[in-house]
């Protein structure tokens, strides 16, 4: 009698359209159904471990999601429950408490926004972005002390990412920051006025006559009044402002006429100081001439405040031999001035040198453009006028078309994607914005490798960045295409003048974050049903993007609402489906193993969190929508760790193959209480490792069949495997009848099988209804007669039911075959 064996199941669940593809390697390893099993790379399928009930979410009638958070030590793992207008926290699989209540922080996020949030953790900070919300940071101060903060880009050293320079003829101008000059008025030093649209500062006490005369008499000087902290009115030549403009930052640029300042030391002005000089970027400061003096380089952001000046450098100058020349790289706009003291005169005498030898200090900047920064503080209803505060000083108040809006704002929208790459904080909107390295909230542009910069996403259509992932290069997914931002010249630093954006595929991505798995990025296409990889091919750095669901096009039915990556025991991609099933793919790329399988429970899995551990299994947690005694609840449940290793070591004391379960220990227990979360539900029970009959929870308790020390009680679930049809290229089209089956098991309880939805046959095992723990079956079962019908499409279905595991290594079928 012919025999056929399936000795490996690591082809995973396949689409029905693979039924005739017996010519493929996947066929002999694949399954029509693989439910509540986990395929191993070596081919065995193991029972999916159960879950432990921890608590309920805050709202039974609203969805919530989980976010992993890890810090300091492996045994301190946290999950964050992100719900409608709140955060709650779990530490080592238990809720963090505030007294007797669960500790909670408020948030602005609504239920409908939760699964579009993207998170990125760095140390004790979780960065959060969403296209409709201002960027925020959830900061851990202690396990029971968290704070949700916004990011203020107007506070040094922060600086906003800016949109490209305005290309229209719309101008912006400042006004109303000084009173108009008035004749016959007493003015004192540091009074400010506006005359003929120019700001002036009083430098000598006087009573005004005519302005031209007073100006000629050095009573006034052109003011640098537009400095940090000043307020003004910003007027546009077009209607560009609205109530959403409040809080937005705007950069305004003016070109200076002079890029250097020379300060000559006079004999009558010792000590003496130069005028304030605006500086940013690369600056050269140099002394010259012949003298002996102490020279100071000072700085401030508010030059009109005499008490604000701080010493940046100090030198002693002596003759020609001790002159100084330094180059500065100034990170943010400031004012510089030079000051000298204790001038003795030239080395050869008491007079100060003149002409070429006259002592002098020169300051020179490389960039002639002065880029001020304003923050909109008020909107009065006019689309052409807003109130502003000066953040970085401006050179002029004149109208200019050289202005840039803050890239992310309420008016323009906020980031959709976030990641860190080469020490830069990267944000995705319609383009990719990269911060200065190590300065995560500073996107200021400079003329060096440490500059913040923008990578324009230039594609046909309207591209929006959906995800960013950092590997050796920065991977980018938009709604239209996928690309990589690479370091073009590997011998120079990655930066604004050393990158290349390459677009190799154009499948498009949906709003969910991609997952990086061992050099490959897995992402969902816009409809959420097709999973693709993005990986380098080695052919001129070309990146391909193949479908991971091509042979299982049904597996993400209805779309995916959340994804996660599990590193251990084996690399696995998880996708929470909209219908509440969990679709997972074992992904051992180097072994050419891509195996899909599904997790079902008595309810709907709505969220997943995977937290890496140093041990051989990552910590997995679900939020599950369930029904308890007719009412809807949402539970936080952890997948039980160590089930595979426990069975391997013949330790059944920690065996846990029930969902929403609890473990109770006592001495000779004949009943178990504390089951209110299972009230009215049918439960499976292990008593000291032995299975007893299922029963219904009543009054929060169940009775046991005999005195028990350890009971594990929870919702049962079924394991189901249906291999591909009994088919080969030589038997296609032939009518076949399966007569007998042998199942090779590993550490398993009983199971049943049938052919083509016929009658069930049960593998015969010892009766476990005793107080003795079961001897789980390993090896080939006895030959089971199944008596299938004659059919061209013949397959076997095997089912097991918790609370005992079912682990299958091979299936052997005996069959008869008629003609084709």
């Amino acid at each position: 009698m012919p025999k056929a064996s399936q000795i490996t199941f690591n082809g995973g669940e396949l689409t029905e359209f693979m039924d005739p593809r017996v010519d493929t390697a996947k066929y002999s390893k694949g399954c029509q159904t693989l439910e509540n099993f986990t395929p191993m790379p070596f081919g065995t399928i193991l029972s999916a471990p159960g879950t432990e009930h921890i608590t309920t979410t805050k709202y039974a009638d609203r969805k919530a999601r989980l976010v992993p958070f890890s810090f300091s030590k492996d045994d301190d793992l946290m999950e964050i429950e992100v719900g409608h207008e709140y955060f709650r926290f779990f530490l080592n699989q238990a809720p963090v408490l505030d007294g007797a209540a669960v500790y909670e922080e408020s948030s602005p996020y609504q239920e409908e926004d939760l699964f579009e949030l993207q998170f990125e953790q760095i140390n004790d900070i979780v960065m959060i972005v969403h296209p409709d919300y201002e960027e925020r940071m959830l900061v851990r101060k202690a396990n029971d002390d968290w704070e949700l903060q916004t990011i203020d880009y107007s506070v040094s050293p922060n600086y906003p990412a800016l949109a490209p320079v305005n290309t229209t003829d719309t101008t912006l101008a400042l006004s109303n920051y000084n009173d108009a000059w008035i004749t016959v008025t007493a003015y004192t030093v540091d009074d400010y006025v506006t005359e003929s649209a120019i700001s002036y500062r009083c430098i000598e006490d006087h009573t005004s006559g005519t302005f031209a005369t007073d100006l000629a008499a050095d009573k006034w000087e052109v003011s640098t009044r537009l400095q940090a902290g000043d307020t003004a009115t910003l007027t546009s030549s077009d209607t560009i402002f609205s109530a959403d403009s409040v809080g937005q930052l705007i950069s305004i640029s003016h070109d200076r006429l002079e890029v250097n300042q020379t300060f000559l030391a006079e004999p009558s002005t010792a000590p003496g100081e130069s005028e304030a000089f605006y500086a940013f970027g690369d600056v050269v400061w140099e002394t010259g001439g012949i003298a002996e003096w102490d020279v100071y380089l000072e700085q401030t952001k508010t030059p009109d405040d005499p008490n604000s000046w701080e010493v940046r450098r100090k030198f002693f100058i002596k003759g020609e031999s001790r002159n100084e020349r330094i180059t500065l790289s100034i990170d943010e706009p400031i004012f510089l001035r030079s000051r000298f003291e204790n001038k003795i005169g030239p080395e050869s005498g008491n007079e100060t040198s003149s002409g070429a030898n006259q002592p002098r200090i020169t300051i020179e900047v490389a960039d002639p453009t002065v880029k001020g920064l304003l923050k909109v503080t008020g909107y009065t209803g006019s689309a052409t006028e807003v109130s502003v505060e000066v953040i970085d000083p401006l050179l002029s108040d004149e109208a200019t078309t050289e202005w840039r809006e803050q890239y992310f704002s309420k008016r323009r929208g906020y980031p959709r994607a976030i990641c860190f790459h080469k020490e830069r904080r990267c944000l995705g909107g319609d383009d990719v914005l990269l911060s200065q390295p190590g300065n995560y909230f500073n996107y200021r542009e400079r003329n060096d490798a440490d500059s913040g910069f923008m990578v324009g996403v230039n594609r046909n259509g309207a591209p929006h960045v959906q995800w960013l992932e950092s590997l050796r290069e920065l991977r980018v997914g938009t709604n239209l295409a996928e690309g990589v931002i690479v370091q073009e010249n590997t011998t120079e630093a990655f930066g604004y003048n050393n990158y290349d954006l390459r677009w190799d595929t154009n499948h498009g991505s949906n709003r969910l974050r991609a997952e990086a798995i061992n050099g490959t990025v897995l992402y969902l296409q816009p409809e959420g049903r097709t999973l693709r990889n993005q990986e380098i091919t080695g052919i001129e750095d070309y990146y391909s993007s193949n479908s991971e669901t091509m042979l299982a096009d049904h597996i993400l039915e209805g779309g995916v609402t959340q994804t996660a990556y599990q590193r251990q025991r084996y690399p696995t991609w998880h996708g929470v489906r909209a219908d509440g099933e969990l679709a997972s793919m074992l992904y051992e790329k180097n072994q050419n193993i891509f195996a899909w399988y599904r997790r079902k429970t008595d309810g709907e899995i709505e969220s997943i969190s995977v937290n890496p551990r140093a041990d051989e299994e990552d910590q997995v947690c679900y939020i599950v929508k369930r029904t308890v005694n007719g009412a809807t609840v949402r539970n936080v449940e952890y997948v039980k760790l160590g089930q595979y290793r426990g069975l391997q070591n013949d330790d059944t004391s920690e065996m846990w193959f029930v969902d929403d379960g609890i473990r109770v220990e006592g001495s000779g227990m004949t009943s178990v209480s504390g089951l209110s979360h299972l009230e009215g539900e049918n439960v499976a029970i292990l008593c000291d490792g032995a299975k007893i009959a299922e029963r219904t929870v009543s009054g929060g308790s169940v009775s046991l069949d005999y005195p028990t020390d350890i009971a594990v009680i929870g919702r049962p679930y079924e394991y189901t495997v249906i291999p591909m049809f009994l088919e080969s290229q030589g038997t296609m089209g032939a009518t076949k009848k399966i007569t007998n089956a042998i199942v090779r098991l590993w550490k398993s309880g009983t199971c049943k099988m049938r052919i083509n939805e016929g009658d069930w046959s049960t593998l015969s095992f010892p009766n476990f209804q005793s107080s003795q723990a079961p001897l789980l079956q390993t090896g080939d079962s006895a030959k089971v007669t199944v008596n299938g019908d004659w059919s061209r499409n013949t397959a076997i279905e095997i089912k097991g039911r918790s609370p005992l595991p079912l682990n299958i290594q091979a299936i052997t079928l005996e069959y008869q075959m008629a003609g084709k």
Side-chain angles (χ1 to χ4, degrees), residues 238-309:
D238 200 355
T239 55
I240 65 171
F241 299 125
S242 69
D244 287 346
S245 299
V246 176
Q248 185 179 24
L249 296 168
I250 300 174
S251 174
I252 297 181
S253 299
H254 297 89
D255 286 339
R256 66 203 315 166
L257 298 177
E258 300 289 342
V259 296
N260 57 54
Q261 175 198 75
T262 299
F263 173 45
L264 297 174
E266 299 292 341
S268 59
T269 56
E273 61 191 34
S274 69
E275 303 233 350
F277 186 77
Y278 180 96
F280 172 67
D282 294 334
V283 177
V284 174
W285 183 88
E286 185 175 17
T287 68
I290 300 176
E292 292 184 14
W293 53 358
D294 292 325
V295 177
Y296 298 83
L297 174 61
E298 299 177 326
Q299 67 182 36
T300 185
K301 293 196 77 171
T302 53
D304 296 329
D305 178 0
N307 297 318
S308 67
W309 290 95

Side-chain angles (χ1 to χ4, degrees), residues 122-271:
I122 179 166
N123 301 322
D124 278 345
I125 299 173
V126 179
M127 312 284 186
I128 308 174
V129 297
H130 185 285
D132 296 332
Y133 290 86
E134 192 174 0
E135 301 163 59
R136 285 176 166 82
M137 301 184 298
L138 185 60
V139 180
R140 173 187 170 271
K141 300 177 180 179
N143 293 335
D144 58 354
D145 186 8
W146 296 68
E147 183 179 357
L148 186 65
Q149 302 173 357
T150 56
I151 300 168
D152 188 350
Y153 286 105
S154 68
V155 176
S156 177
N158 299 350
Y159 193 84
L162 297 174
V165 176
N166 166 54
T167 58
T168 72
D169 57 3
T170 301
T171 62
L172 297 181
L174 286 158
S175 61
N176 297 334
Y177 50 90
N178 290 332
D179 295 330
W181 177 86
I182 304 173
T183 190
V184 195
T185 302
Y187 288 106
T188 59
V189 173
D190 287 339
D191 282 344
Y192 295 87
V193 298
T194 298
E195 174 65 15
S196 302
I198 299 176
S199 177
Y200 294 90
R201 169 178 170 263
C202 178
I203 56 176
E204 182 180 319
D205 295 349
H206 69 283
T207 299
S208 59
T210 62
F211 186 80
T213 301
D214 294 345
L215 182 62
D218 293 330
K219 302 293 193 295
W220 298 98
E221 68 177 4
V222 175
S223 172
T224 55
R225 180 72 168 97
L226 290 170
Q227 52 195 260
D230 289 347
T231 59
T233 298
L234 183 64
T235 302
S236 169
S237 62
D238 200 355
T239 55
I240 65 171
F241 299 125
S242 69
D244 287 346
S245 299
V246 176
Q248 185 179 24
L249 296 168
I250 300 174
S251 174
I252 297 181
S253 299
H254 297 89
D255 286 339
R256 66 203 315 166
L257 298 177
E258 300 289 342
V259 296
N260 57 54
Q261 175 198 75
T262 299
F263 173 45
L264 297 174
E266 299 292 341
S268 59
T269 56

Side-chain angles (χ1 to χ4, degrees), residues 13 34 63 70 117 135 177 196 238 293 313 332 431 452 455 483 498 532 544 579 610 692 736 771 776:
E13 192 169 295
L34 191 57
K63 289 185 178 181
S70 59
L117 295 170
E135 301 163 59
Y177 50 90
S196 302
D238 200 355
W293 53 358
R313 302 287 293 272
E332 55 184 85
D431 302 287
V455 178
N498 186 30
R532 288 190 173 272
S544 65
D579 63 359
V610 178
I692 65 173
K736 296 170 282 294
S771 59
L776 297 177

Side-chain angles (χ1 to χ4, degrees), residues 542-562:
Y542 172 76
Y543 288 78
S544 65
S545 190
N546 299 313
S547 172
E548 300 290 1
T549 47
M550 181 176 294
L551 304 184
D553 62 354
H554 67 294
I555 200 73
L556 303 182
E557 184 69 34
V560 172
T561 60
Q562 188 184 0

Side-chain angles (χ1 to χ4, degrees), residues 146 216 329 379 435 448 496 610 685 810:
W146 296 68
S329 180
Y379 173 72
S435 75
D448 58 31
Y496 78 100
V610 178
I685 305 172

Side-chain angles (χ1 to χ4, degrees), residues 657-676:
F657 293 95
V658 295
D659 281 344
D660 198 16
I662 66 168
R663 173 188 167 100
V664 181
E665 297 187 26
S667 178
M669 298 180 296
T670 56
S671 65
V672 173
S673 58
L675 299 172
S676 59

Side-chain angles (χ1 to χ4, degrees), residues 553-628:
D553 62 354
H554 67 294
I555 200 73
L556 303 182
E557 184 69 34
V560 172
T561 60
Q562 188 184 0
T563 68
Y565 167 45
Q566 183 174 346
R567 295 157 181 80
Q568 299 183 94
R569 288 182 51 99
Y570 302 104
T572 303
W573 181 92
H574 297 291
V576 178
R577 299 193 337 188
D579 63 359
E581 289 191 19
L582 182 70
S584 303
M585 178 180 62
L586 172 65
Y587 195 73
E588 284 283 11
K589 183 177 66 171
N590 292 336
Q591 304 298 322
N592 197 31
I593 296 174
F594 315 97
W596 285 101
Y597 57 102
R598 292 176 295 111
R599 180 71 164 91
K600 290 183 70 173
T601 187
D602 180 18
E604 299 175 21
I605 299 173
E606 293 185 331
S607 182
I608 183 174
S609 165
V610 178
N611 227 327
R613 297 172 66 245
D615 202 355
E616 63 179 355
E617 288 184 73
D618 290 347
Q619 180 170 285
V620 180
C621 183
Y622 302 138
I623 289 179
V624 188
K625 178 183 176 183
R626 299 194 185 276
T627 299
V628 177

